[in-house]
Amino acid sequence: MSIHKAALLAVACGVASAIELTVSSSGGNASSPLLYGFIFEDINHSGDGVLHGNLLQNNGFQGNSPNLTAWSAVGGAEIAQDSSNPLTDAITSTLSITGTSGTIGASNAGYVSIRVTPNEYANYFWVKGTYEGNITVSLVDSDDTVLGSTGVPVSSNSSAFSYYETSFSAVESTTGNSSWHFTFDAATATDGGLNLGLPQLFPPTFHNRKNGLNAEVAEVLDSAKGSFLRFPGGNNLEGTSVENRWTWNNTIGPVEDRPGRQGNWGYPTTDAIGLVEFLLWCQDMGLTPLLAVWDGLTVGGGTTTDDALQPFVNDALNELEYLMGDTSTTWGALRASHGYPDPFDIPYVEIGNEDFLNNGLETYQDRFNLFYDAFHQAYPNITIVASTSGLAETGCSGTECGIDISTGVLQDVHQYLPPKDLIAKFNFFDNVDRNAPILVGEYASTTFDNGSTTYFPTMAGSTAEAVYMIGMERNSDVVKMSCFAPILEHFDMAQWSPDAVGYDAANGVTRSTSWFVQQLFSANRGDTILPVESDSGFGPAYWVASSAGNTNFVKLANYGDASQTISINIDGKTTATLTQLSGGQEDSNTPGEENVQPVVTAIDGNGTFSFSLPAWSVSVLVAQ
Ligand code: AHR
């Protein structure tokens, strides 16, 4: 009797039988070194409000109808959005603060509130109006406690804006509800008030970059040891109209020269995380850039095609020259003038986003070819990614999609599904064309099985994602890259649920069960996927084994409500670390409460490691 049949018989007789796996010490397929990475677009205030360091909302009055969002008057002042005193051609309004006596000013509530922790806070702002004296910048708790403050000697006039930088250290907020205050003596402002231009407030930034990422958030992302970054979207690349698309050259240079735009997700974006900031982010986290360019498709605003598209192809070539050209080129010289003389490397470029939606398929073949030919001629080493795939579920087959996969083009697959449907996709990648490399550019368990909304990931959804990822990793000769989406949300300002990591002012970062799965899978990677012999079929337990040098990795998921016992034979290995994430089927972390966290144990084995897989669990065994 085969071991598989023995196991089936034991189950039929009601005897709980252990699953036995034997990991081969030879053979297998090379695993893509870029298998796990990130997609980032500004959705859920993930950029302005979470990942970007600046904590002040509506500082540049950008977007369609900024008005006084986030601003309040202090001390009897009158405040107004003032378009007659623009800071620059891009920042076309500043805040007018007027009043006749006493200390007056304005406060900014940030993105719902400002998170204040014991740290140094950098302040940047412009002032216009006659003034010789101190102004004060401070962080104030909702109970009026001043958490940090400093005076700034200002000597300004009414003919031009003057720029100031200062910093102060703050103590922790006790209310979780703080605001930034800018105050001055009304009597000293002899024009009757002052104009405040583009104020910015930064806590410590990742790698201490100016205009950098919020270190508290970026360090969490960095902990996953991802290997690529797909940017800048997502729908937010596409725009709701041609004019409203993500326009790369509006996102470069000093922030005061970036007009921002009304993003695709219902709020203004400042573009302070702009094209160069994405590349610096890649540098600082060791990520390979995957740049998506606008290809004529908008979300609900029509499609630009044929001759009308050619200027946008040229514009994308300019974008690539800005990033990769040397300083003798027009756009490379502009990059150098922005402080970056060394060219960046862009090995992957995606043409558009989700061209299988919004009637994109009708014209994608022609649009794709226009971009492909231009890019391939100018940069033959760039790998091009198609935003459609030839897989049946995207509604077209390879040639209908216009994608000539023989050229090495990657196809972008997106799968947002309820847990049971992700489980059904476990073997999806077993059956794809081995010569057609794939980017899984967005995926997640998005709802409960009954279709109701999952607000923050649950153990059932995260375990289903792990099963799907095991399916990808087993096929990581053809699945070259994958990224969960969306990665970040502001808990109080989100449009899309669920997301992997949440943030709010009171709690900072909260990691979801899905985040922990991403981190476990990405941070524990082999370079070779090893064959595994088993005495049981897949389900409810799933597994994949890999190795890197002398280290073996076995990833496992138990998508079921009964615990499973498992024995894993790995020849020659005696010690291992087992990391397990488990909880009830609907268990979910909540803001500030990471109740479900991975638990790490050391286990000994003499070539065999035996342990249990709890119900609804994800495990990683690392054997030395
Ligand atoms: O990740 C959220 C959205 O899902 C992306 O913007 C889009 O590409 C997809 O439809």
Side-chain angles (χ1 to χ4, degrees):
M1 191 185 316
S2 71
I3 351 185
H4 195 156
K5 277 191 188 147
L8 289 176
L9 192 58
V11 170
C13 298
V15 179
S17 88
I19 300 166
E20 184 171 354
L21 307 181
T22 301
V23 177
S24 172
S25 48
S26 59
N29 288 327
S31 177
S32 166
L34 298 180
L35 182 57
Y36 298 117
F38 306 112
I39 173 182
F40 182 86
E41 67 171 321
D42 207 321
I43 177 174
N44 306 312
H45 281 271
S46 54
D48 295 322
V50 178
L51 184 58
H52 186 241
N54 172 44
L55 301 173
L56 304 183
Q57 188 184 184
N58 195 23
N59 59 341
F61 296 95
Q62 290 141 307
N64 286 350
S65 49
N67 302 319
L68 288 176
T69 300
W71 288 106
S72 299
V74 172
E78 285 197 10
I79 62 171
Q81 176 188 345
D82 183 0
S83 58
S84 62
N85 281 292
L87 178 64
T88 60
D89 289 345
I91 302 299
T92 56
S93 288
T94 55
L95 185 71
S96 123
I97 307 167
T98 52
T100 50
S101 63
T103 299
I104 61 168
S107 68
N108 187 293
Y111 293 90
V112 177
S113 173
I114 292 177
R115 176 163 172 76
V116 185
T117 52
N119 269 309
E120 191 74 7
Y121 286 79
N123 298 244
Y124 313 117
F125 56 88
W126 280 260
V127 176
K128 188 173 175 186
T130 309
Y131 200 85
E132 293 290 336
N134 265 6
I135 62 95
T136 302
V137 286
S138 49
L139 279 164
V140 182
D141 233 352
S142 58
D143 62 4
D144 290 335
T145 305
V146 176
L147 303 168
S149 176
T150 193
V152 188
V154 164
S155 174
S156 59
N157 60 57
S158 58
S159 56
F161 276 94
S162 315
Y163 178 66
Y164 295 91
E165 292 188 6
T166 189
S167 71
F168 57 79
S169 56
V171 297
E172 181 125 24
S173 159
T174 54
T175 67
N177 185 6
S178 314
S179 55
W180 180 79
H181 288 221
F182 173 93
T183 52
F184 55 93
D185 175 33
T188 310
T190 52
D191 303 327
L194 294 175
N195 270 66
L196 171 64
L198 198 68
Q200 298 163 77
L201 174 74
F202 283 81
T205 58
F206 190 60
H207 284 223
N208 293 318
R209 296 250 185 219
K210 194 122 184 228
N211 188 39
L213 307 181
N214 186 324
E216 185 184 7
V217 182
E219 278 160 14
V220 170
L221 297 186
D222 195 30
S223 72
K225 302 188 186 346
S227 46
F228 72 91
L229 178 65
R230 174 175 176 240
F231 64 92
N235 288 0
N236 201 41
L237 167 72
E238 296 175 54
T240 51
S241 65
V242 180
E243 298 70 34
N244 170 249
R245 72 195 187 283
W246 188 87
T247 305
W248 71 271
N249 47 5
N250 282 344
T251 76
I252 56 176
V255 287
E256 61 269 25
D257 291 338
R258 303 183 194 182
R261 59 184 267 266
Q262 189 70 19
N264 272 63
W265 292 101
Y267 59 87
T269 56
T270 66
D271 289 326
I273 301 182
L275 189 58
V276 165
E277 286 73 21
F278 282 116
L279 273 301
L280 299 177
W281 172 4
C282 287
Q283 278 182 5
D284 291 347
M285 289 194 199
L287 306 171
T288 296
L290 162 49
L291 168 71
V293 297
W294 191 80
D295 72 347
L297 184 69
T298 62
V299 179
T303 312
T304 305
T305 58
D306 304 318
D307 290 350
L309 190 57
Q310 191 57 48
F312 297 97
V313 176
N314 299 342
D315 187 55
L317 284 170
N318 293 342
E319 181 178 5
L320 292 178
E321 184 179 290
Y322 177 84
L323 292 171
M324 294 196 287
D326 64 34
T327 51
S328 68
T329 63
T330 306
W331 293 97
L334 181 64
R335 181 198 66 243
S337 78
H338 291 154
Y340 305 97
D342 295 334
F344 296 101
D345 184 31
I346 308 295
Y348 293 88
V349 176
E350 181 160 6
I351 297 175
N353 175 65
E354 292 194 335
D355 279 270
F356 50 88
L357 296 178
N358 300 301
N359 303 321
L361 274 185
E362 290 168 12
T363 52
Y364 190 58
Q365 178 168 1
D366 291 342
R367 289 184 289 115
F368 177 87
N369 288 340
L370 269 183
F371 283 93
Y372 180 92
D373 292 345
F375 292 171
H376 192 64
Q377 191 181 356
Y379 303 97
N381 294 329
I382 286 183
T383 298
I384 308 286
V385 181
S387 82
T388 63
S389 85
L391 303 171
E393 67 199 350
T394 62
C396 60
S397 67
T399 43
E400 282 173 53
C401 289
I403 311 308
D404 179 2
I405 53 174
S406 66
T407 56
V409 166
L410 265 71
Q411 308 174 85
D412 186 355
V413 173
H414 292 185
Q415 292 189 319
Y416 290 111
L417 296 166
K420 65 176 169 34
D421 295 346
L422 269 187
I423 297 294
K425 297 282 181 206
F426 167 68
N427 58 4
F428 180 79
F429 299 106
D430 294 350
N431 302 310
V432 297
D433 181 346
R434 309 319 284 178
N435 297 313
I438 287 173
L439 154 74
V440 183
E442 298 180 27
Y443 71 92
S445 167
T446 38
T447 62
F448 289 98
D449 279 342
N450 66 9
S452 62
T453 306
T454 305
Y455 286 104
F456 207 45
T458 63
M459 268 318 292
S462 305
T463 307
E465 287 154 8
V467 171
Y468 181 74
M469 293 165 81
I470 287 171
M472 292 195 292
E473 191 164 319
R474 280 162 43 82
N475 291 286
S476 55
D477 53 331
V478 65
V479 180
K480 301 292 184 192
M481 304 163 125
S482 72
C483 41
F484 177 102
I487 198 77
L488 289 169
E489 69 171 295
H490 191 304
F491 278 125
D492 305 317
M493 306 177 91
Q495 295 78 45
W496 180 289
S497 297
D499 307 285
V501 175
Y503 176 89
D504 63 347
N507 303 294
V509 174
T510 302
R511 297 165 295 179
S512 73
T513 49
S514 290
W515 169 258
F516 286 122
V517 171
Q518 291 297 314
Q519 187 191 31
L520 280 175
F521 273 51
S522 177
N524 294 290
R525 279 192 245 180
D527 50 34
T528 306
I529 306 303
L530 296 173
V532 178
E533 268 185 34
S534 68
D535 63 355
S536 320
F538 288 117
Y542 299 81
W543 52 84
V544 62
S546 62
S547 66
N550 285 331
T551 305
N552 280 77
F553 304 90
V554 185
K555 293 172 180 162
L556 306 116
N558 179 10
Y559 186 79
D561 53 15
S563 156
Q564 306 286 325
T565 308
I566 196 147
S567 277
I568 306 180
N569 304 314
I570 312 178
D571 199 23
K573 301 295 177 202
T574 52
T575 58
T577 305
L578 177 66
T579 308
Q580 293 194 303
L581 182 76
S582 68
Q585 183 171 6
E586 295 189 5
D587 279 1
S588 174
N589 289 339
T590 53
E593 302 285 339
E594 292 183 343
N595 293 320
V596 189
Q597 291 213 31
V599 175
V600 184
T601 49
I603 54 174
D604 290 328
N606 192 7
T608 300
F609 300 91
S610 300
F611 51 96
S612 73
L613 303 177
W616 312 108
S617 68
V618 178
S619 306
V620 176
L621 182 84
V622 181
Q624 307 284 350

